Each structure stands twice: as C-alpha cells, then as structure tokens.
C-alpha cells in the first residue's frame, strides 16, 4: 500500500513544496560531489596513504567503482523499500565512509571507505524518481530540471571546492566538511521528506532480474540511455583532458584550473530551462539541439585552444555543459513518465548506462590527449555529439516521446 502521507503529497496539484525541492536539489548535488572531491587531490592523498605514483589514480577509481555498483544494486531498491528510509540509510553510510576516508592512514581502509562512499552516494538517484512521484506531470520537467541543476552544480563545484579547502586545511578537511554536510542534509530530510512505500509483491532478486525485461519492453528507455551515454562520455572526456591542456597551453596553476571549472558550472542554469521546454512538448527539439550544439562546440574548442582564446574556451565550456545537462533533463523527464512502480529500476538502468559512458569518456580523454593533443580530444568529443544526433534521427518516430 502507498503510505497515506505520500498519497496526500501526490494528490496536491501544486506538488511538493519549494523547500523540499530545494533540499532534494542540494542533497543530490552534495551526494554526487563526493565522487569528485578526490580527483584534483590525488597527488596529496596517494603518498599520505602509502600509494606510489603509478597507482595513485586508484584513489578516484575505487569510488567510481562503488558508485557503479550502487547504481545497479541500490537504486533498484527504490521500487521495493520505503524511499525515505532508503535515502536516510544511504546518507548515514556515506557519512561513515567520509569519516573513514578522513582518518585513514593506509591504503586498505581508505579504499574500503571510498568504496562505501561511492556505493551510498547513489542515494541521489533514489531521490530523483522519488520527487517525480510527487510532482504532477505538467510540472515534472521543470522540477526535474531544478533537481538536475543541483546535481550538475555539485559535479562542477566539487573539484574547485576541494582544491580551495585542501589548500587551506589539508585534504582530510575536504572529507570532514562533506561528512558534516551529509549530516545536515540527513537531519533536514528527516523532517521534510514524506514517506513513499512502493507496492510490494516482489523480492530483491526479482527486482534486479526484472530490470532487463522492463528495458526490453520500453524502447524509449534504451534510446535515451544510449544518447546520454554518448553525451556524458563527451562531458567526462572534456573534464579529464582539459585540465592538462589548460596547464600545458595556458600555463594555469591548480587554482586557475579550479576557477575555470567554477566558470564551467554556469551550464547548470540550463537545466530548469530545459525542463520547462520539455513540459511544453519540446523534448525532441531540445535533445536534437543539445546534440548538435555539443558536436559544434567541441570542434570549436579545438580552434580556441590552438588560438589561445581563453575567453572563448570558457564560453564553449559553459555551452557544452549546458547542452549535456539539457538532454539529461529531457531524458529523465521522459523515463519518469513510466509507471511509478518501475521508476526506480528504469532509473537504475539509465544511470548505469550514463555512468558507463562517463567511465569511457574518462579513459578516452587521457588516450586521445596523449595520442593527438587537444585537437584529437576535441574531434572525439564532437564525434560523440554527432553520433548521438545520428542515432536520434534514425530512432523510429513511433517510439519517440
């Protein structure tokens, strides 16, 4: 049975309160930011826990592996477990992981803590379908856009914030600060978040096993997952290779690169706009425009980097981030139009594909830059946008939403 509190919340035409939406946006952004705090601090963390430079990258990769596991194993529980309880449990475990990372003095406990951080930060992807349950369909795009704006802001601000905190207080302070933020968010959601209990009738094994049959029967989810896999791969490719390019071509310090990333966070403002366009029936036009924009903007970054046109590069960065975000919002509005009882599993599949794309992009960013410099990286990112647009154009029209 659906909980009475949840029923009342859904029954209101206005949907959830602005305060709840704002807190969920903050929570999703803060949870996902946990995946990125360590990226610019690898050189400081690795020697502190006894890692050599040849395997220093594992400081980041273990967290990413945990997140990938959580997307499949935990997000699916949103269709089985009372959502408020699930979110608060993941927040609590994230705090444990963050404290564990902050006090670790050797590799094994740090890796264990990092795996837990990644695994439980997927609570952000439980919050997204949860809020979609509460929002009337006519407003769903706008609200999802606001939440995704918070999520992208968390991704974009994580690196510069971690650099600024670590420069003043050391890298351990970054994890302590995040743990305090998680506690604050958990207390706030305890007071504000209504209960949502999914319909029963399935056990955990059936929930996981049913994901593939659901995706088989919902082709629009497969198409949307493919689009975002390519675009998020381009996004991660850009942010993996661009710091190296900025240091080599523009002579930027870590603080300069952090400010560049901070400017790039402006792309998050596109999320609410994309949500409103989707609510007006412009989902297809928004997606096509985003894919074309990414292709053209990536190719243009090749010229901007060669000409040392930093101002233009900043503008193009904002455009790329905004376009990736716009398609993400449109796609999640579409996949959240499936029946409420399966939204958790559908989102688990969609976000797992997105995560795989991001991992591919990170690898390609390193490979392409070392192989052919920024010209090769920009061409690869542009090709990903073009391929996504080609897939969109050949998608059967009857299957589109």
């Amino acid at each position: 049975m659906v909980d009475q509190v949840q029923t009342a919340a859904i029954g209101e035409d206005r949907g959830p309160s602005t305060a709840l939406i704002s807190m969920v946006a903050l929570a999703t952004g803060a949870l996902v930011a946990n995946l990125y705090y360590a990226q610019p601090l690898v050189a400081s963390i690795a020697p502190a826990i006894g890692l050599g430079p040849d395997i220093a990258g594992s400081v980041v990769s273990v967290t990413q592996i945990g997140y990938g596991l959580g997307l499949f194993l935990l997000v699916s529980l949103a269709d089985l477990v009372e959502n408020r309880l699930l979110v608060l449990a993941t927040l609590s475990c994230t705090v444990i992981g963050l404290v564990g990372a902050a006090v670790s003095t050797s590799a094994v406990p740090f890796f264990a803590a990092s795996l837990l951080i990644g695994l439980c930060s997927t609570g952000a992807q439980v919050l997204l379908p949860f809020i979609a349950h509460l929002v009337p369909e006519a407003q769903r795009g706008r609200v999802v856009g606001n939440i995704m704006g918070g999520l992208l802001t968390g991704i974009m601000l994580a690196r510069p914030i971690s650099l600024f905190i670590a420069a003043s207080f050391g890298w351990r302070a970054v994890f302590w600060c995040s743990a305090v933020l998680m506690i604050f968010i958990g207390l706030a959601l305890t007071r504000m978040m209504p209960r949502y209990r999914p319909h029963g009738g399935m056990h955990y094994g059936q929930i996981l096993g049913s994901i593939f049959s659901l995706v088989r029967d919902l082709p629009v989810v497969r198409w949307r997952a493919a689009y975002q896999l390519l675009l998020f791969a381009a996004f991660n490719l850009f942010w993996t290779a661009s710091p190296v390019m900025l240091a080599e071509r523009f002579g930027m310090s870590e603080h300069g690169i952090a400010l560049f990333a901070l400017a790039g966070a402006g792309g998050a403002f596109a999320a609410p706009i994309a949500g409103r366009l989707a609510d007006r029936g412009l989902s297809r036009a928004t997606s096509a425009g985003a894919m074309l924009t990414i292709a053209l903007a990536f190719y243009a970054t090749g010229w901007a980097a060669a000409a040392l046109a930093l101002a233009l590069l900043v503008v193009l960065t904002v455009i790329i981030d905004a376009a990736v975000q716009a398609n993400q919002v449109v796609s999640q509005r579409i996949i959240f139009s499936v029946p409420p009882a399966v939204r958790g599993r559908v989102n688990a599949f969609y976000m797992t594909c997105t995560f795989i794309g991001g991992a591919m992009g990170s690898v390609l960013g390193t490979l392409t830059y070392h192989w052919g410099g920024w010209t090769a990286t920009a061409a690869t990112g542009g090709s990903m946008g073009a391929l996504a647009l080609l897939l969109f154009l050949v998608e059967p029209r009857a299957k589109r939403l």
Side-chain angles (χ1 to χ4, degrees):
M1 290 291 291
V2 179
D3 196 284
Q4 289 184 348
V5 176
Q6 180 266 346
T7 304
I10 292 179
E12 296 178 1
D13 292 337
R14 294 174 299 172
S17 68
T18 301
L20 177 59
I21 293 171
S22 299
M23 183 52 62
V24 170
L26 172 62
T28 55
L31 279 164
V32 174
N34 288 322
L35 306 179
Y36 300 95
Y37 288 136
Q39 280 189 342
L41 305 177
V42 168
S44 300
I45 296 174
I49 60 173
L51 292 180
D54 53 334
I55 57 171
S58 57
V59 166
V60 177
S61 61
V62 171
T63 310
Q64 299 284 341
I65 290 169
Y67 191 73
L69 291 172
L71 284 173
F72 188 77
L73 298 175
L74 290 186
V75 175
S76 302
L77 284 173
D79 290 340
L80 182 65
V81 178
E82 197 279 303
N83 283 195
R84 180 170 172 268
L85 176 63
L86 182 58
V87 168
L88 294 177
T90 57
L91 276 168
S92 300
C93 292
T94 303
V95 171
I96 294 171
L98 289 164
V99 172
V103 301
S104 294
T105 56
S106 60
V108 172
F110 184 87
F111 285 156
S114 296
L115 188 69
L116 184 62
I117 291 169
L119 188 72
C120 295
S121 290
T122 52
Q125 299 304 328
V126 176
L127 284 166
L128 274 165
F130 164 80
I131 206 72
H133 292 310
L134 307 182
V135 180
E137 186 173 358
Q139 302 173 22
R140 190 170 292 148
R142 175 176 60 84
V143 173
V144 170
N146 290 336
I147 303 298
M148 290 306 301
L151 188 147
L152 182 62
T153 300
I155 293 174
M156 297 305 302
L157 292 183
R159 298 175 184 90
I161 286 175
S162 67
L163 283 169
F164 290 136
I165 293 175
S168 300
F169 305 104
W171 66 265
R172 297 181 188 276
V174 176
F175 294 99
W176 283 116
C177 289
S178 182
V180 171
L181 180 59
M182 293 297 107
I183 292 171
F184 166 76
I185 290 171
L187 293 174
L189 289 178
T190 299
R191 293 175 57 88
M192 300 170 62
M193 190 174 175
R195 296 182 183 276
Y196 175 76
R197 187 177 302 280
H199 292 285
M202 299 181 72
H203 58 68
Y204 183 53
Q206 290 174 319
I207 286 284
L208 291 181
S210 66
I211 291 176
F212 300 103
S213 60
L214 282 172
V215 173
R216 180 196 62 205
D217 296 335
L218 296 169
V220 68
V221 176
R222 299 197 302 270
W223 285 102
R224 284 287 157 181
Y227 303 151
Q228 198 60 21
L229 181 152
L230 286 168
L231 298 190
F232 198 62
F235 176 89
N236 269 28
L237 174 138
F238 182 91
W239 285 109
T240 298
S242 61
V244 183
M245 178 268 291
L246 291 168
E248 291 183 356
R249 295 201 180 186
F250 294 89
M252 282 192 178
S253 65
E254 287 187 349
H255 282 87
I257 295 171
L259 290 173
F260 181 90
L262 194 61
F269 291 109
I273 298 172
R276 286 173 171 81
L277 291 173
D279 285 341
R280 294 173 184 172
L282 298 173
S283 295
R284 288 167 53 192
T286 303
S287 284
M291 295 166 189
L292 179 62
T293 297
I294 287 169
L296 296 177
F298 256 103
Y299 293 133
T301 64
W303 179 87
L308 299 181
L310 182 59
L312 177 59
L313 195 59
V314 170
V315 172
L316 291 170
T317 299
V318 174
I319 290 172
I320 289 171
D321 291 350
V324 173
Q325 183 70 353
N327 188 73
Q328 173 83 330
V329 170
V330 169
S331 295
Q332 290 207 286
R333 186 194 188 280
I334 288 173
I335 68 169
F336 289 153
S337 297
V338 301
V342 301
R343 282 178 186 156
R345 280 165 284 172
V346 166
N347 192 48
F349 173 83
Y350 173 84
M351 289 307 304
T352 299
C353 291
T354 301
F355 174 81
I356 290 170
M360 290 168 50
S362 296
V363 173
L364 286 173
T366 301
L367 291 177
T368 57
Y369 190 83
H370 286 291
W371 174 68
W374 185 256
T375 301
T377 301
T380 303
S383 299
M384 288 176 177
L387 178 57
L389 180 60
L390 178 62
L391 288 177
F392 179 80
L393 294 176
V394 302
E395 178 189 351
R397 184 174 294 271
K399 302 295 185 183
R400 295 180 183 172
L401 291 179

